[in-house]
Amino acid sequence: MATANVYIDGFNLYYGSLKRNFPQYKRLDLQSFAESLLPGHHVNRVRYFTARLRNAAHKPGTADRQRIYLRALATLPKVSIHYGHFSTRDVYMPLTEPPPDGPPTVQVRRTEEKGTDVNLASYLLWDCFFGDCDEAAVISNDSDFAEPIRLIRDELKKPIGVINPHSRQRSARLHRVASWSYASINRRHFQDHQLPQQLSDSHGTFYKPPEWCA
Protein backbone atom coordinates (compact mmCIF):
# COMPACT_ATOMS: atom_id res chain seq x y z
CA MET A 1 0.00 0.00 0.00
CA ALA A 2 1.40 3.39 -1.01
CA THR A 3 2.18 5.86 1.75
CA ALA A 4 0.86 9.41 1.49
CA ASN A 5 1.49 12.66 3.30
CA VAL A 6 -1.21 15.33 3.51
CA TYR A 7 -0.43 19.05 3.74
CA ILE A 8 -3.27 21.28 4.95
CA ASP A 9 -3.43 25.02 4.37
CA GLY A 10 -5.32 25.76 7.58
CA PHE A 11 -6.82 29.15 6.80
CA ASN A 12 -7.69 28.12 3.24
CA LEU A 13 -9.60 25.16 4.61
CA TYR A 14 -11.27 27.28 7.28
CA TYR A 15 -12.41 30.12 5.02
CA GLY A 16 -13.13 27.86 2.06
CA SER A 17 -15.34 25.35 3.87
CA LEU A 18 -15.67 25.54 7.62
CA LYS A 19 -16.61 29.19 8.12
CA ARG A 20 -18.75 29.54 5.01
CA ASN A 21 -20.48 26.20 4.56
CA PHE A 22 -20.00 23.95 7.58
CA PRO A 23 -19.55 26.06 10.75
CA GLN A 24 -21.04 23.24 12.85
CA TYR A 25 -18.11 21.00 11.91
CA LYS A 26 -15.22 23.20 13.02
CA ARG A 27 -13.89 20.57 15.40
CA LEU A 28 -12.51 18.55 12.52
CA ASP A 29 -10.41 15.46 13.19
CA LEU A 30 -7.70 16.16 10.63
CA GLN A 31 -6.21 12.67 10.85
CA SER A 32 -9.33 10.68 10.02
CA PHE A 33 -10.44 13.45 7.65
CA ALA A 34 -7.22 13.12 5.63
CA GLU A 35 -7.44 9.33 5.65
CA SER A 36 -11.00 9.45 4.32
CA LEU A 37 -9.86 11.55 1.36
CA LEU A 38 -7.17 9.04 0.37
CA PRO A 39 -8.75 5.58 0.37
CA GLY A 40 -6.33 2.83 -0.58
CA HIS A 41 -3.36 4.73 0.88
CA HIS A 42 -1.57 4.53 4.19
CA VAL A 43 -1.45 8.12 5.47
CA ASN A 44 2.01 8.54 6.93
CA ARG A 45 1.59 12.03 8.35
CA VAL A 46 -0.66 15.08 8.23
CA ARG A 47 1.00 18.49 8.38
CA TYR A 48 -1.28 21.37 9.37
CA PHE A 49 -0.16 24.94 8.68
CA THR A 50 -1.69 27.86 10.55
CA ALA A 51 -0.91 30.91 12.70
CA ARG A 52 -1.97 31.71 16.23
CA LEU A 53 -4.89 34.12 16.45
CA ARG A 54 -5.30 36.95 18.93
CA ASN A 55 -8.50 37.88 20.71
CA ALA A 56 -9.98 41.11 19.41
CA ALA A 57 -12.83 43.33 20.58
CA HIS A 58 -14.92 42.50 17.50
CA LYS A 59 -14.10 38.75 17.75
CA PRO A 60 -14.05 37.88 21.46
CA GLY A 61 -12.83 34.40 22.34
CA THR A 62 -11.51 33.58 18.86
CA ALA A 63 -7.97 32.88 20.04
CA ASP A 64 -9.23 30.89 23.03
CA ARG A 65 -11.31 28.61 20.80
CA GLN A 66 -8.39 28.13 18.43
CA ARG A 67 -6.13 27.26 21.36
CA ILE A 68 -8.51 24.50 22.43
CA TYR A 69 -8.68 23.15 18.88
CA LEU A 70 -4.90 23.11 18.52
CA ARG A 71 -4.66 21.32 21.84
CA ALA A 72 -7.11 18.74 20.52
CA LEU A 73 -5.12 18.28 17.31
CA ALA A 74 -1.98 17.68 19.37
CA THR A 75 -3.58 14.46 20.68
CA LEU A 76 -3.64 12.96 17.15
CA PRO A 77 -0.48 10.88 16.56
CA LYS A 78 -0.12 11.56 12.83
CA VAL A 79 -0.80 15.31 12.96
CA SER A 80 1.91 17.94 13.36
CA ILE A 81 1.22 21.69 13.57
CA HIS A 82 3.46 24.25 11.88
CA TYR A 83 3.08 27.93 12.73
CA GLY A 84 3.40 31.10 10.75
CA HIS A 85 2.51 34.44 12.33
CA PHE A 86 0.44 37.56 11.86
CA SER A 87 1.98 40.93 11.10
CA THR A 88 0.02 44.14 11.81
CA ARG A 89 1.02 47.56 10.52
CA ASP A 90 -0.54 50.87 9.57
CA VAL A 91 -0.45 51.66 5.85
CA TYR A 92 -1.90 54.28 3.54
CA MET A 93 -4.28 52.98 0.86
CA PRO A 94 -5.74 54.90 -2.10
CA LEU A 95 -9.44 55.72 -1.99
CA THR A 96 -11.59 54.37 -4.81
CA GLU A 97 -13.28 57.75 -5.20
CA PRO A 98 -11.20 60.42 -3.45
CA PRO A 99 -13.02 63.67 -2.73
CA PRO A 100 -11.94 66.57 -4.94
CA ASP A 101 -10.93 68.67 -1.97
CA GLY A 102 -9.64 65.87 0.27
CA PRO A 103 -6.70 63.47 0.55
CA PRO A 104 -6.44 60.67 -2.07
CA THR A 105 -5.46 58.10 0.55
CA VAL A 106 -6.63 56.85 3.94
CA GLN A 107 -4.65 55.19 6.71
CA VAL A 108 -5.74 51.66 7.59
CA ARG A 109 -4.48 48.96 9.91
CA ARG A 110 -3.57 45.86 7.90
CA THR A 111 -3.08 42.43 9.43
CA GLU A 112 -1.46 39.82 7.23
CA GLU A 113 -0.70 36.15 7.72
CA LYS A 114 2.99 35.46 7.19
CA GLY A 115 5.00 32.31 6.79
CA THR A 116 2.34 29.60 6.51
CA ASP A 117 2.52 29.29 2.71
CA VAL A 118 6.30 29.10 2.58
CA ASN A 119 6.27 26.64 5.48
CA LEU A 120 3.87 24.36 3.63
CA ALA A 121 5.86 24.53 0.38
CA SER A 122 9.12 23.90 2.24
CA TYR A 123 7.94 20.82 4.13
CA LEU A 124 6.21 19.49 1.01
CA LEU A 125 9.40 19.68 -1.03
CA TRP A 126 11.60 18.42 1.81
CA ASP A 127 9.47 15.36 2.53
CA CYS A 128 9.09 14.41 -1.11
CA PHE A 129 12.78 14.92 -1.91
CA PHE A 130 13.91 12.74 0.99
CA GLY A 131 11.39 9.99 0.32
CA ASP A 132 9.14 10.45 3.36
CA CYS A 133 6.14 9.34 1.29
CA ASP A 134 5.23 7.70 -2.01
CA GLU A 135 2.57 10.31 -2.78
CA ALA A 136 1.46 13.68 -1.44
CA ALA A 137 -1.77 15.65 -1.30
CA VAL A 138 -2.26 19.37 -0.67
CA ILE A 139 -5.54 20.66 0.73
CA SER A 140 -5.69 24.22 -0.56
CA ASN A 141 -6.99 26.33 -3.40
CA ASP A 142 -4.05 28.75 -3.32
CA SER A 143 -2.40 28.97 -6.74
CA ASP A 144 0.90 30.00 -5.10
CA PHE A 145 1.52 26.28 -4.53
CA ALA A 146 1.46 25.52 -8.25
CA GLU A 147 5.24 25.64 -8.75
CA PRO A 148 6.30 23.36 -5.86
CA ILE A 149 3.56 20.93 -6.90
CA ARG A 150 4.82 20.97 -10.50
CA LEU A 151 8.40 20.35 -9.33
CA ILE A 152 7.32 17.33 -7.34
CA ARG A 153 5.33 15.91 -10.26
CA ASP A 154 7.82 16.63 -13.05
CA GLU A 155 11.25 16.61 -11.38
CA LEU A 156 10.80 14.19 -8.47
CA LYS A 157 8.35 12.04 -10.44
CA LYS A 158 5.99 11.64 -7.49
CA PRO A 159 2.20 11.66 -7.77
CA ILE A 160 0.76 14.69 -6.04
CA GLY A 161 -2.88 15.63 -5.70
CA VAL A 162 -4.76 18.82 -4.91
CA ILE A 163 -7.95 18.77 -2.84
CA ASN A 164 -9.96 21.97 -3.14
CA PRO A 165 -11.67 23.12 0.09
CA HIS A 166 -13.61 25.86 -1.74
CA SER A 167 -17.05 25.07 -3.08
CA ARG A 168 -17.48 28.14 -5.27
CA GLN A 169 -14.21 28.31 -7.15
CA ARG A 170 -11.32 26.16 -8.25
CA SER A 171 -7.76 27.18 -9.09
CA ALA A 172 -7.13 26.28 -12.71
CA ARG A 173 -3.36 26.52 -12.17
CA LEU A 174 -3.40 23.95 -9.39
CA HIS A 175 -5.63 21.65 -11.41
CA ARG A 176 -3.21 21.78 -14.37
CA VAL A 177 -0.07 20.91 -12.41
CA ALA A 178 -1.52 18.25 -10.09
CA SER A 179 -1.40 14.53 -10.87
CA TRP A 180 -5.01 14.34 -9.69
CA SER A 181 -7.46 16.65 -7.98
CA TYR A 182 -10.76 16.86 -6.11
CA ALA A 183 -12.97 19.71 -7.26
CA SER A 184 -14.41 20.09 -3.75
CA ILE A 185 -15.00 18.29 -0.45
CA ASN A 186 -18.54 17.27 0.43
CA ARG A 187 -20.44 17.60 3.69
CA ARG A 188 -20.03 13.92 4.57
CA HIS A 189 -16.25 14.25 4.89
CA PHE A 190 -16.71 16.95 7.52
CA GLN A 191 -19.68 15.44 9.30
CA ASP A 192 -18.14 11.99 9.72
CA HIS A 193 -14.77 13.13 11.04
CA GLN A 194 -15.34 15.20 14.15
CA LEU A 195 -13.28 15.12 17.31
CA PRO A 196 -15.11 13.94 20.45
CA GLN A 197 -16.59 16.59 22.71
CA GLN A 198 -14.28 15.53 25.55
CA LEU A 199 -10.56 14.89 25.24
CA SER A 200 -7.64 14.41 27.59
CA ASP A 201 -3.93 15.11 27.35
CA SER A 202 -1.04 15.40 29.81
CA HIS A 203 -2.56 18.62 31.20
CA GLY A 204 -5.97 17.10 31.95
CA THR A 205 -9.44 16.91 30.42
CA PHE A 206 -10.89 19.59 28.15
CA TYR A 207 -14.09 20.06 26.15
CA LYS A 208 -15.46 21.26 22.84
CA PRO A 209 -16.32 24.99 23.01
CA PRO A 210 -20.11 25.41 23.26
CA GLU A 211 -20.02 27.87 20.35
CA TRP A 212 -19.02 24.96 18.09
CA CYS A 213 -21.98 22.77 18.96
CA ALA A 214 -24.37 22.18 16.09
Side-chain angles (χ1 to χ4, degrees):
M1 183 180 293
T3 62
N5 285 1
V6 180
Y7 302 80
I8 301 177
D9 181 347
F11 286 108
N12 208 271
L13 173 63
Y14 177 78
Y15 286 107
S17 287
L18 295 173
K19 182 177 181 180
R20 176 185 295 169
N21 299 322
F22 309 116
Q24 69 272 39
Y25 301 136
K26 289 180 181 177
R27 198 170 171 81
L28 188 61
D29 181 330
L30 294 182
Q31 182 170 309
S32 65
F33 174 69
E35 290 171 338
S36 75
L37 294 169
L38 293 169
H41 294 74
H42 170 74
V43 173
N44 180 50
R45 69 175 78 249
V46 179
R47 296 193 186 273
Y48 179 65
F49 299 86
T50 189
R52 293 187 186 276
L53 301 172
R54 301 173 186 169
N55 286 323
H58 64 291
K59 293 182 179 179
T62 300
D64 300 324
R65 291 190 291 275
Q66 185 202 41
R67 193 176 303 114
I68 294 172
Y69 181 58
L70 295 173
R71 184 180 173 187
L73 291 182
T75 68
L76 303 175
K78 293 183 181 180
V79 175
S80 58
I81 305 170
H82 306 272
Y83 293 102
H85 65 278
F86 285 101
S87 173
T88 301
R89 60 195 177 100
D90 294 340
V91 297
Y92 284 92
M93 301 290 290
L95 291 166
T96 303
E97 298 180 2
D101 56 349
T105 61
V106 63
Q107 189 178 34
V108 298
R109 181 155 295 169
R110 173 184 287 177
T111 299
E112 296 178 305
E113 178 194 350
K114 299 285 188 179
T116 53
D117 288 358
V118 71
N119 287 347
L120 191 155
S122 298
Y123 277 99
L124 175 64
L125 287 165
W126 177 276
D127 289 344
C128 289
F129 183 80
F130 285 103
D132 191 58
C133 57
D134 301 317
E135 187 168 348
V138 176
I139 299 179
S140 181
N141 197 43
D142 189 338
S143 61
D144 286 348
F145 296 126
E147 186 61 9
I149 288 171
R150 186 196 66 78
L151 288 171
I152 290 165
R153 185 197 66 183
D154 293 347
E155 304 301 326
L156 298 182
K157 308 301 181 185
K158 282 186 181 288
I160 179 164
V162 170
I163 300 170
N164 177 23
H166 290 245
S167 61
R168 299 181 185 175
Q169 61 184 20
R170 181 186 192 182
S171 169
R173 287 188 63 200
L174 290 183
H175 176 67
R176 283 196 301 269
V177 298
S179 307
W180 54 267
S181 62
Y182 287 0
S184 62
I185 310 171
N186 63 43
R187 173 186 292 270
R188 179 67 65 183
H189 285 111
F190 295 99
Q191 180 179 326
D192 291 352
H193 301 284
Q194 293 291 295
L195 290 160
Q197 295 210 13
Q198 177 180 318
L199 283 166
S200 297
D201 59 13
S202 60
H203 300 287
T205 300
F206 56 103
Y207 300 88
K208 174 181 179 177
E211 296 89 344
W212 289 359
C213 294

